Amino acid sequence: MSLFSLKSHDGPLTADLIQEPGNFGLGKIPSRLRPISTTTSICGYCATGCQLKLHLDEDGNAINLSPEVNYPVNLGMACPKGWQALDPLTSSERATVPLLRDCSGTLQPTDWTTALTEFTTRLKEIKTEHGSESVAFLSTGQIPFEEMAFLGCLYKFGMGFIHADANTRQCMATAATAYKQSFGFDAPPGAYADFEESDVIVLIGANLCIAHPILWQRVMRNKRSPQIIVIDPRATETAQAATTHLAIKPKGDLALLHSVAYCILRDGRIDEESISNTEGIDDYREFVKDYSPEAVAEKAGITAHAIETLAKSVSEKGKRVSWWWTMGINQSHEGTRTVQAIINLCLITGNIGKPGTGPNSVTGQCNAMGSRLFSNTTSLVGGHDFANEGHRRKISEKLEIPYEHITSQGSLAYDQILDAVAEGKIKALWIVATNPFHSWIDSDKLEKLRANLDFLVVQDMYSTTESALTADLLLPAASWGEKSGCFINSERRLGTIKPVRKAPGQALSDFRIFRLIADAWGCGEFFKNWTSPEAAFKILRDVTRDQPCDITGIKGYDHIDECSGIQWPYPENPSDTSTERRLFADGKYYTPSRKARIHFSAPAELPEKPDDQYPFLLLTGRGTSSQWHTQSRTAKSSVLRKLYPENAYVEICSADALKLGIKDKSTVRISSRRGALTASAYIAPTVRPGNLFLPMHYPEVNKLTHSSFDPHSRQPNYKACSVSISRID
Ligand code: SF4
């Protein structure tokens, strides 16, 4: 049923009329709190992918939750965000009706018919006047992959636009690019079981205790007395709990990793069989000759002896070594090559494809991995290639969309889209379930770009995010807990989410909104078979046939639930159906030669070095396990709000604080070439002299960060820019 089949209805559409099939509870939530049944859903925050058990009343409304004990990911555990996952649904800041900016500049409530008419009319006008490259969408890793795929296919094949990106670009683009170049496909090889099966666990640029607390619990379950090595400029909570902390200089990581390779190759602590499955080792052997520990110690910020010791630890014969990283590596001006330096170490020591090993990226958002495969932005849906004619013909056939609509043109990346806005080439943005006016690097720049946009559409569950408040049109979206679909977690595991609450007012699932837009745009026929998220899942499943991520053996959502989630690949008649599987056990990769490719390059200079005016290097990262990104949701939970400081604070070491007369808790001003903020000083031994740390969740923080990007992945370099600090009270 489309909105336009309801045109004869008198007056605006009500929630009852547009309630989608499968949503629960059209009546009000009963007051009694005794659950009568349960269902399960994957948590909607991070890519750990914990499964939650939702306790339901007789109308199917969730009244409480608990972590699922039998799920192989979280084994009965959840972090504070998971425990409080229902809180943000009932916020008074929910978007409940479409809002349209009137000629006085005020957002006014409207109905869906008007909203969709405005959406299609304005975007068609812009397309007619300025062409198919004049509009872009910016999306998310927070919605199920069926919705992402629908958005990407609708936008490119149905509406005929080109440019689109997701906030995966801020998070995992580096890991995805590195895997693609090294393995021939975006294929994280490991399983979470590897945390428990390693002898040496290297956490580099990853604060698991805070950012992925359940994965840290998996480390704690390891019964092999593992050596836990944390490589991080900051003495994070994880570093403090590790057996070894190497407090390197910010961005000393790439030189350090080359030096570790130098030691291993020099000493012959290598795995010949694994190396025989690679290409490029001779060039790499030659290249790392300049990276002796003595040559690198100053750049890395640790001693030559510490580098030699690290090299021995990660190459000991018979020991299982796993490497794990997150944003400390990915959000860098040279992140792709740094990830590949980790991959290279695993390849030359044979730590891949076996229990307790692997170069394993830990993803940020709950469905970042689904975004990477299905969002139809950087790759053609299902991990295919826009430039490959055979792939385009396959997609045309599987989706039943005429071949001439399957574009071969790749998209601009996120930063390039914003540059195109600055240049006046992109005139309209459609922002879906993300908040770039807070989260994008050097965020003031984006605010200034707003004036260049003729039309800004924001589709979100809240009407109060920084991005929603500046929209011309706000489309109210249902949240996690109010719709169904699938997420893919960091170990390639598909899991389902379920509707357990009714979306407020006239808010609709993103899936439903895309269906309505398809009809309103006039391309609904292309998506006639996308009747529900599960129907879309089956279409997308069939698209993956013969791809590395082939999931054609999955029958449907029930099958996924019965198996406690299913990792890809899972082809028809799978030879291995075990619960936890890893890739590359046979030493065969997805490149044309079936060999892994060793990539490397020399470390580059910092894009913005400290100087007399801005003498400190600013690090940013997650503050607490109770905060999520821009806090759009976590700030709506009264419980979570009590678990973190309300206002921004900055970590500074005692030597620097003493020099500048800064006392603990005094108010300080931090400035960069782009902006300034005030914060409370926290004098702590966690940062090196000359470094500061700010949690990323506060809206002011990205006013300071510097617009520089990894040249391969176009991921922003959030982690190191130069700033000054001074006392202001
Ligand atoms: Fe949710 Fe991540 Fe917390 Fe698990 S660790 S409960 S997936 S936020």
Side-chain angles (χ1 to χ4, degrees):
M1 179 172 69
S2 81
L3 173 71
F4 287 83
S5 67
L6 292 169
K7 266 185 176 167
S8 59
H9 175 69
D10 227 354
L13 291 167
T14 66
D16 287 0
L17 277 169
I18 54 182
Q19 187 68 37
E20 63 188 302
N23 261 8
F24 281 65
L26 291 170
K28 65 177 183 177
I29 298 172
S31 58
R32 64 187 168 279
L33 295 174
R34 190 157 52 86
I36 62 163
S37 63
T38 62
T39 188
T40 58
S41 202
I42 302 300
C43 173
Y45 282 105
C46 89
T48 302
C50 300
Q51 193 181 61
L52 305 173
K53 182 186 276 188
L54 284 308
H55 305 260
L56 310 175
D57 68 14
E58 61 189 10
D59 296 321
N61 294 298
I63 55 175
N64 212 330
L65 63 80
S66 55
E68 175 57 53
V69 172
N70 296 316
Y71 200 64
V73 168
N74 52 314
L75 311 167
M77 301 176 280
C79 81
K81 296 188 292 296
W83 277 104
Q84 302 302 321
L86 293 169
D87 286 7
L89 306 187
T90 49
S91 164
S92 59
E93 295 176 38
R94 289 295 302 269
T96 55
V97 290
L99 299 175
L100 181 61
R101 200 170 292 282
D102 66 14
C103 49
S104 75
T106 309
L107 279 170
Q108 299 285 3
T110 188
D111 57 75
W112 272 104
T113 305
T114 306
L116 290 163
T117 303
E118 185 75 8
F119 180 94
T120 50
T121 305
R122 297 286 300 273
L123 290 186
K124 283 190 176 193
E125 280 170 2
I126 289 169
K127 188 179 178 200
T128 303
E129 194 173 339
H130 302 286
S132 58
E133 298 195 52
S134 60
V135 175
F137 81 66
L138 299 173
S139 181
T140 182
Q142 293 289 156
I143 59 177
F145 73 71
E146 297 86 343
E147 293 186 340
M148 287 177 164
F150 201 165
L151 170 61
C153 294
L154 164 66
Y155 175 85
K156 293 201 173 185
F157 309 150
M159 297 166 72
F161 292 117
I162 304 293
H163 300 304
D165 207 353
N167 62 1
T168 318
R169 185 73 65 181
Q170 291 156 277
C171 174
M172 298 309 298
T174 289
T177 305
Y179 283 139
K180 269 189 203 171
Q181 290 182 356
S182 295
F183 299 152
F185 196 77
D186 177 14
Y192 293 158
D194 294 320
F195 281 118
E196 297 170 23
E197 297 180 20
S198 297
D199 299 307
V200 180
I201 297 170
V202 187
L203 301 167
I204 177 165
N207 187 7
L208 284 195
C209 285
I210 292 299
H212 298 88
I214 303 311
L215 298 184
W216 178 251
Q217 293 306 316
R218 298 292 298 262
V219 173
M220 291 294 96
R221 288 167 54 93
N222 185 316
K223 296 199 167 50
R224 303 170 73 92
S225 301
Q227 186 184 5
I228 303 169
I229 302 170
V230 170
I231 303 173
D232 200 306
R234 188 168 156 252
T236 61
E237 294 80 353
T238 311
Q240 292 173 41
T243 47
T244 305
H245 174 209
L246 298 174
I248 60 169
K249 281 185 184 168
K251 298 300 119 209
D253 43 16
L254 183 54
L256 170 67
L257 295 164
H258 287 329
S259 188
V260 170
Y262 164 95
C263 298
I264 291 170
L265 290 165
R266 176 199 64 195
D267 297 345
R269 298 165 72 90
I270 56 176
D271 184 312
E272 293 286 4
E273 189 185 341
S274 179
I275 287 178
S276 72
N277 298 322
T278 68
E279 292 173 326
I281 185 64
D282 292 339
D283 292 342
Y284 192 47
R285 200 187 285 275
E286 193 59 33
F287 169 81
V288 297
K289 280 185 178 157
D290 294 336
Y291 292 84
S292 70
E294 292 73 22
V296 163
E298 163 63 22
K299 166 112 181 135
I302 58 173
T303 64
H305 176 71
I307 298 172
E308 294 277 5
T309 306
L310 173 64
K312 288 199 176 86
S313 295
V314 301
S315 61
E316 209 169 316
K317 290 274 177 242
K319 289 270 171 90
R320 302 167 170 186
V321 182
S322 61
W323 292 74
W324 310 80
W325 72 91
T326 60
M327 299 313 138
I329 296 294
N330 288 337
Q331 292 176 338
S332 159
H333 64 293
E334 53 189 1
T336 300
R337 289 293 182 250
T338 312
V339 168
Q340 286 166 333
I342 298 170
I343 291 172
N344 295 346
L345 287 173
C346 292
L347 290 169
I348 64 178
T349 58
N351 278 299
I352 190 163
K354 295 179 250 182
T357 68
N360 303 310
S361 70
V362 179
T363 314
Q365 303 199 68
C366 52
N367 193 33
M369 286 288 294
S371 169
R372 282 153 67 164
L373 290 179
F374 290 105
S375 65
N376 210 31
T377 52
T378 50
S379 57
L380 189 54
V381 64
H384 293 87
D385 184 355
F386 283 107
N388 182 316
E389 188 190 338
H391 283 184
R392 293 199 303 277
R393 292 209 177 275
K394 176 184 171 187
I395 296 301
S396 163
E397 184 193 319
K398 296 283 182 194
L399 298 188
E400 298 179 31
I401 292 176
Y403 175 70
E404 60 273 20
H405 288 262
I406 311 298
T407 178
S408 61
Q409 189 177 341
S411 169
L412 295 175
Y414 212 121
D415 65 301
Q416 295 163 330
I417 286 171
L418 296 181
D419 285 347
V421 175
E423 292 160 13
K425 292 178 183 160
I426 287 185
K427 304 282 186 186
L429 277 184
W430 178 14
I431 294 173
V432 181
T434 187
N435 188 15
F437 282 79
H438 175 147
S439 66
W440 188 248
I441 199 161
D442 186 8
S443 55
D444 265 358
K445 187 172 157 189
L446 210 142
E447 262 175 47
K448 286 173 203 143
L449 291 184
R450 174 66 184 92
N452 285 20
L453 290 170
D454 293 347
F455 192 43
L456 174 63
V457 184
V458 173
Q459 185 169 319
D460 203 279
M461 66 183 283
Y462 295 117
S463 57
T464 54
T465 67
E466 288 84 353
S467 304
L469 287 171
T470 191
D472 294 310
L473 175 66
L474 176 72
L475 303 177
S479 163
W480 172 93
E482 298 163 350
K483 58 186 180 180
S484 53
C486 277
F487 293 157
I488 307 180
N489 78 355
S490 294
E491 56 168 359
R492 313 181 316 280
R493 184 178 303 277
L494 284 79
T496 65
I497 64 167
K498 317 278 190 337
V500 292
R501 291 273 180 90
K502 173 184 169 296
Q506 294 189 26
L508 294 172
S509 73
D510 295 286
F511 192 90
R512 182 76 169 143
I513 294 171
F514 301 142
R515 275 201 62 80
L516 295 174
I517 288 173
D519 287 339
W521 194 269
C523 59
E525 183 64 14
F526 287 0
F527 303 98
K528 62 181 184 302
N529 298 327
W530 297 54
T531 51
S532 69
E534 188 163 15
F537 169 83
K538 289 178 178 168
I539 293 167
L540 297 166
R541 170 197 66 190
D542 295 343
V543 158
T544 66
R545 186 177 298 282
D546 300 327
Q547 282 288 89
C549 60
D550 189 333
I551 51 170
T552 49
I554 300 178
K555 297 184 186 75
Y557 287 172
D558 287 348
H559 186 194
I560 294 173
D561 288 344
E562 284 156 19
C563 295
S564 292
I566 298 177
Q567 286 176 289
W568 69 256
Y570 197 91
E572 260 180 332
N573 305 314
S575 55
D576 182 0
T577 58
S578 43
T579 311
E580 301 193 73
R581 290 174 284 124
R582 50 191 65 78
L583 304 176
F584 310 133
D586 59 359
K588 302 241 179 322
Y589 298 88
Y590 301 121
T591 55
S593 65
R594 306 303 307 272
K595 291 180 185 290
R597 180 79 203 160
I598 291 180
H599 288 276
F600 54 88
S601 53
E605 293 294 327
L606 274 176
E608 190 183 41
K609 285 190 198 168
D611 56 18
D612 290 347
Q613 197 180 357
Y614 298 101
F616 284 83
L617 261 186
L618 175 67
L619 313 174
T620 62
R622 194 174 300 279
T624 69
S625 57
S626 303
Q627 289 166 289
W628 181 248
H629 293 182
T630 67
Q631 303 193 123
S632 310
R633 279 181 292 166
T634 48
K636 310 293 187 300
S637 163
S638 57
V639 174
L640 296 179
R641 270 203 316 270
K642 292 192 180 95
L643 299 177
Y644 58 81
E646 191 177 342
N647 298 313
Y649 61 92
V650 60
E651 292 178 12
I652 181 170
C653 76
S654 56
D656 286 335
L658 190 65
K659 221 174 352 181
L660 297 169
I662 292 170
K663 296 202 170 67
D664 203 35
K665 297 196 179 59
S666 58
T667 305
V668 293
R669 180 178 177 81
I670 304 163
S671 308
S672 77
R673 288 183 178 82
R674 297 153 292 282
L677 58 81
T678 58
S680 174
Y682 174 38
I683 300 176
T686 49
V687 287
R688 297 168 60 108
N691 292 179
L692 303 174
F693 171 78
L694 275 171
M696 65 180 180
H697 314 285
Y698 303 96
E700 317 85 280
V701 172
N702 278 318
K703 294 183 189 305
L704 305 183
T705 47
H706 176 248
S707 282
S708 48
F709 303 90
D710 177 276
H712 304 281
S713 68
R714 306 300 312 163
Q715 182 150 351
N717 167 35
Y718 281 100
K719 296 299 184 193
C721 68
S722 62
V723 295
S724 63
I725 180 168
S726 57
R727 205 183 67 182
I728 59 170
D729 55 344

